[in-house]
């Protein structure tokens, strides 16, 4: 995998710790745009040379300008890959904005005849209102699109774009269906962040994302946000200082969370300063608030404009990105999908794209250029970067093969009924060593260090003859006997090589709170994947009761880790054999290596 433009840590700090420089009015026209409730939001306008009016692209950001590359494009028309590589090798402590292409608001767009509008979301930097973290992005995005359509420099043909949080804002605006919006481009972003990706409805929380995201937003709130929360200037300095130190402790403890006082604290996330500063923080422990948050931020079924989606196999948001494309495809909405290899922060690297995408997408929908010469679906095969190209998502996927869990084995024909048991101790959780994470260890990484632990169970399949292509949706079920009222099942699908390495292919994490007669039925869904299993390799499934700090530690008492300090050690027993109902469905096809 090519070196990413910025490391996760440096990009995170660049986006969240107030180091980005806001462009001056000399670089772009600065104005305040009123929303429907009278709140005015800080907005910058960049115009191409010429008389206009121009087709217009919009990005709404909680992080403030500048913008990074997107869609495989470089930052301006004069850049080459060699320039990009040199820029990517800069020390992470260099001041952002030293690259002229970024500090000017990414001139590539204006060089190609687009007006660019960048708006800071409410309660951030110079924008009025209270920062409620995406809850207002639908109506605010709608209002901005309709405002742009009335400006003399815009010809009324409008697109929105963004990656990660900026993409979420674009998706939410599109879900509100402003009449003047023509197309969107979403990259490494979520269509259902608090129902699919970071806070599934079973009650588990992706703590490595949520704790850091919720806390990191505090330092850049605007004075209007503080006023709206009833926080004085003197009080804000103390609150922001404590919140920033807490976030720094979390970030510094990511690699060894059990050695970090912030991560092992019980109750987890008990930080009054953040509760006072950010409404977002209340979501973590308030189930009613969280359910409303889910409804407010889920755009599945709501987007009706042409949509280009780019995601990565090991991105935190890949599952809802795939769900969004399937939703658009089922409703006949013009759409395309690109899935590349890598993790969340590698999406800014143009070298992982088969070809640049953003400009050609908007040139077609906003300038009537011919449709891009690519198939509707392009997906990299994990581990070898070969691309599968099809006209529909289903065309790329294989029929499923059901493998049952036996006594340490996976197979279609296994032995007599039995059980495989292990202990799950929230005080000593199984560590996160990779996966679809935002800031914790992420990616298709080696899990062999976890094999043989007394708190994991391993089930090995037969070695592949001639190789196999895993292509499609991986699902399954487990029957587990438990002596605690609540537990988690962390299910990891591994590619075991002859040398003993155990590469994580894909995983799922399920919280179980409904147990009858000490028996629980666990249905798991790992989402879609393309992965080549080479000849002599074998699939295996590793099951544990935790995956920390990617996911919060279940106390196993029935209480929430965010409200209790008590934990219980539990014995989990996976029921095996033909009648137990423990299996995994793998979409397998013969592989041409």
């Amino acid at each position: 995998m090519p070196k990413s433009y910025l490391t996760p840590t440096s990009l995170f700090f660049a986006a969240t710790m107030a180091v980005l420089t806001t462009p001056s009015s000399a670089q772009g026209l600065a104005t305040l745009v009123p929303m429907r409730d009278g709140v005015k939001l800080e907005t910058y306008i960049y115009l191409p040379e010429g008389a206009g009016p121009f087709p217009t692209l919009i990005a709404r950001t909680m992080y403030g300008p500048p913008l990074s590359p997107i869609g495989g494009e470089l930052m301006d028309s004069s850049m080459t890959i060699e320039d990009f590589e040199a820029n990517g090798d800069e020390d992470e402590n260099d001041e952002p904005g030293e690259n002229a292409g970024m500090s000017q608001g990414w001139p590539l767009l204006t060089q190609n005849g687009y007006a660019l509008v960048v708006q800071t979301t409410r309660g951030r930097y110079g924008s009025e209102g209270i920062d409620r973290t995406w809850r207002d992005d639908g109506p605010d995005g709608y209002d901005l699109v309709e405002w742009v359509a009335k400006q003399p420099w815009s010809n009324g043909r409008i697109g929105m774009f963004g990656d990660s949080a900026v993409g979420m804002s674009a998706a939410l605006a599109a879900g509100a269906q402003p009449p003047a919006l023509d197309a969107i481009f979403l990259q490494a972003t979520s269509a259902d962040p608090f129902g699919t990706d970071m806070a599934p409805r079973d009650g588990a929380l992706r703590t490595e994302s949520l704790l850091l995201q919720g806390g990191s937003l505090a330092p850049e709130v605007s004075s209007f946000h503080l006023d709206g929360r009833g926080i004085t200037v003197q009080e804000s300095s103390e609150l922001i200082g404590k919140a920033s130190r807490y976030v720094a402790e979390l970030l510094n403890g990511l690699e060894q969370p059990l050695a970090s006082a912030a991560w092992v604290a019980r109750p987890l996330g008990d930080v009054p300063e953040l509760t006072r500063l950010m409404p977002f923080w209340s979501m973590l422990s308030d189930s009613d608030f969280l359910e409303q948050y889910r409804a407010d931020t889920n755009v599945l079924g709501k987007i009706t404009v042409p949509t280009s989606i780019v995601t990565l196999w090991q991105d935190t948001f890949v599952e809802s990105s795939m769900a969004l494309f399937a939703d658009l495809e089922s409703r006949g909405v013009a759409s395309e999908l690109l899935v590349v290899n890598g993790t969340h922060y590698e999406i800014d690297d143009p070298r992982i794209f088969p070809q640049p995408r953003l400009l050609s997408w908007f040139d077609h929908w906003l300038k009537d250029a011919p449709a891009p010469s690519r198939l509707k679906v392009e997906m990299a095969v994990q581990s070898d970067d070969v691309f599968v190209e099809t006209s529909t998502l289903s065309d790329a996927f294989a029929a499923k093969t059901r493998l049952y869990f036996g006594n340490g084995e996976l197979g279609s024909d296994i032995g007599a009924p039995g059980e495989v048991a292990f202990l799950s101790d929230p005080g000593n959780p199984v560590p996160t060593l990779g996966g679809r994470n935002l800031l914790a260890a992420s990616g298709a990484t080696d899990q062999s260090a976890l094999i043989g632990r007394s708190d994991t169970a391993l089930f090995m399949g037969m070695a592949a003859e001639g190789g196999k292509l895993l292509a499609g949706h991986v699902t399954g079920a487990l029957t587990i006997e438990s002596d605690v009222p609540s537990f988690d099942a962390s299910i990891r699908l591994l590619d075991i090589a002859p040398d003993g390495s155990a590469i994580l292919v894909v995983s799922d994490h399920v919280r179980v709170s409904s147990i009858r007669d000490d028996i629980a039925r666990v249905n798991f869904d790992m989402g879609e994947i393309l992965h080549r299993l080479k000849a002599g390799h074998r699939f295996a499934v590793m099951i544990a009761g935790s995956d920390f700090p990617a996911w919060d530690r279940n106390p196993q008492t029935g209480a929430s880790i965010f409200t209790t300090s008590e934990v219980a050690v539990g014995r989990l027993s996976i029921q095996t054999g033909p009648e137990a109902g423990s299996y995994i469905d793998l979409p397998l096809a013969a592989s041409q290596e």
Side-chain angles (χ1 to χ4, degrees):
M1 177 58 60
K3 180 182 183 296
S4 61
Y5 176 66
L6 289 173
T7 65
T9 300
S10 65
L11 185 59
F12 181 73
F13 272 116
T16 62
M17 304 306 286
V19 297
L20 293 179
T21 55
T22 302
S24 68
S25 57
Q27 295 170 306
L29 173 64
T31 188
L32 293 173
V33 175
M35 302 292 100
R36 66 189 66 180
D37 59 358
V39 169
K40 298 186 177 89
L41 303 185
E42 176 184 58
T43 306
Y44 295 90
I45 302 162
Y46 304 86
L47 299 179
E49 295 182 0
F54 310 101
T56 306
L57 296 180
I58 297 172
R60 301 188 67 254
T61 174
M62 62 172 60
Y63 300 135
L67 298 172
S68 64
I70 193 170
E73 312 282 356
L74 293 165
M75 286 177 282
D76 62 54
S77 298
S78 66
M79 285 193 73
T80 66
I81 287 291
E82 288 74 21
D83 296 327
F84 178 88
E85 291 171 341
N87 182 270
D89 289 335
E90 289 177 2
D91 187 273
E92 66 179 45
N93 295 317
D94 286 350
E95 282 295 320
E98 287 185 356
N99 181 287
M102 294 185 74
S103 65
Q104 292 176 10
W106 193 26
L108 179 68
L109 295 177
T110 54
Q111 290 170 4
N112 282 275
Y114 290 97
L116 170 63
V117 176
V118 182
Q119 184 175 79
T120 303
T121 55
R122 66 172 59 205
R124 312 287 299 165
Y125 296 93
S127 285
E128 297 177 359
I130 293 176
D131 174 16
R132 301 199 307 163
T133 316
W134 295 306
R135 291 190 73 186
D136 298 300
D137 283 28
D140 287 351
Y142 181 111
D143 291 350
L144 178 61
V145 169
E146 296 306 301
W147 179 86
V148 166
K150 298 173 183 176
Q151 303 310 302
W153 40 262
S154 176
N155 66 6
R157 304 189 72 172
I158 298 171
M160 293 189 76
F161 70 97
D163 61 6
S164 196
V166 184
M168 290 185 206
S169 184
L172 287 163
Q177 300 180 5
L181 184 64
D182 294 298
I184 59 173
F185 188 98
L186 307 177
Q187 184 168 285
T189 196
S190 177
D192 183 24
F194 304 113
T196 299
D197 299 314
M198 293 191 289
R201 289 172 175 81
D202 60 20
L205 293 174
R206 193 176 280 280
T207 45
E208 60 90 29
S209 304
L210 290 174
L211 288 180
L212 284 160
Q213 175 72 13
S216 66
L217 295 175
E220 298 87 25
V221 292
S222 68
S223 60
F224 305 99
H225 173 94
L226 297 173
D227 289 343
R229 298 283 286 172
I231 299 171
T232 66
V233 174
Q234 182 177 3
E235 185 186 9
S236 69
S237 178
E238 180 179 356
L239 292 176
I240 291 174
K242 289 183 178 179
S244 298
R245 287 191 291 273
Y246 176 67
V247 172
E249 289 174 8
L250 288 175
L251 194 62
N252 292 333
L254 263 177
E255 292 186 4
Q256 294 183 313
L258 296 183
S260 165
W263 280 108
V264 300
R266 298 199 298 261
L268 181 64
D270 185 14
V271 186
E273 293 80 13
L274 281 172
T275 302
R276 180 88 170 92
L277 277 167
M278 301 298 298
F280 178 89
W281 201 251
S282 304
M283 184 190 72
L284 299 179
S285 58
D286 186 329
S287 58
D288 292 337
F289 187 96
L290 178 55
E291 196 56 41
Q292 184 59 51
Y293 217 102
R294 287 189 178 114
D296 291 341
T297 56
N298 183 358
V299 300
L300 297 176
K302 300 175 183 177
I303 295 176
T304 59
V305 296
T307 302
S308 181
I309 299 170
V310 183
T311 187
L312 313 97
W313 283 129
Q314 295 299 331
D315 181 28
T316 309
F317 306 125
V318 62
E319 290 186 53
S320 72
S321 292
M322 300 292 284
L324 176 59
F325 179 75
D327 163 56
L328 295 168
E329 193 176 40
S330 70
R331 293 189 286 118
V333 179
S335 55
E336 65 175 10
L337 172 70
L338 171 66
V339 188
V340 294
N341 279 325
T343 60
H344 185 77
Y345 294 99
E346 291 172 307
I347 194 63
D348 286 333
D349 193 327
R351 291 167 293 180
I352 66 176
F353 284 74
Q355 59 179 309
R357 293 175 80 84
L358 180 140
L359 283 174
S360 60
W361 180 253
F362 284 125
D363 284 351
H364 175 58
W365 292 106
L366 304 187
K367 294 182 177 180
D368 299 323
S373 57
R374 52 184 177 249
L375 288 179
K376 188 174 182 179
V377 177
E378 296 177 278
M379 297 187 289
V381 177
Q382 184 169 261
S383 77
D384 61 18
D385 287 325
V386 172
F387 278 85
V388 172
E389 299 175 287
T390 66
S391 297
T392 68
L393 192 59
S394 60
D395 288 344
F397 292 161
K400 290 190 176 184
T401 298
R402 176 161 293 184
L403 301 178
Y404 293 95
F405 290 84
N407 184 21
E409 63 178 338
L410 282 176
S412 55
D413 182 18
I414 57 176
E419 68 173 19
V420 175
F422 59 91
L423 293 181
S424 175
D425 180 3
N428 184 29
V430 176
T432 298
L433 294 185
R436 292 171 169 176
N437 304 317
L438 188 66
L439 290 159
S442 57
T445 54
D446 188 2
Q447 309 287 297
S448 58
L450 303 180
I451 295 176
R453 283 178 58 125
S454 60
D455 51 2
T456 66
L458 186 70
F459 300 85
M460 295 280 287
M462 296 293 292
E465 296 181 5
K468 295 287 185 181
L469 181 64
L470 179 67
H473 205 148
V474 180
T475 57
L478 297 167
T479 301
I480 300 180
E481 182 177 308
S482 167
D483 63 358
V484 288
S486 178
F487 67 88
D488 287 4
S490 171
I491 306 108
R492 311 183 194 198
L493 179 63
L494 309 178
D495 177 342
I496 308 290
D499 65 4
S501 61
I503 299 302
L504 178 63
V505 178
V506 69
S507 64
D508 192 21
H509 190 89
V510 182
R511 178 147 300 168
V512 179
S513 300
S514 178
I515 301 174
R516 178 177 297 180
D517 298 327
D518 298 330
I519 296 289
R521 185 70 172 160
V522 179
N523 295 304
F524 60 88
D525 184 341
M526 297 183 173
E528 294 90 349
I529 191 69
L530 290 185
H531 179 88
R532 199 179 309 282
L533 187 75
K534 297 180 180 179
H537 289 229
R538 61 183 66 194
F539 283 123
V541 174
M542 184 167 60
I543 301 173
S546 51
D547 182 0
F548 184 73
W551 296 90
D552 69 300
R553 294 174 294 160
N554 188 337
Q556 301 184 161
T557 62
S560 166
I561 196 70
F562 294 99
T563 59
T564 186
S565 60
E566 302 297 324
V567 299
V569 177
R571 181 182 186 271
L572 306 182
S573 175
I574 301 164
Q575 305 302 292
T576 64
E579 307 302 323
S582 296
Y583 62 86
I584 185 170
D585 287 333
L586 298 179
L588 293 173
S591 173
Q592 300 295 323
E593 295 192 59

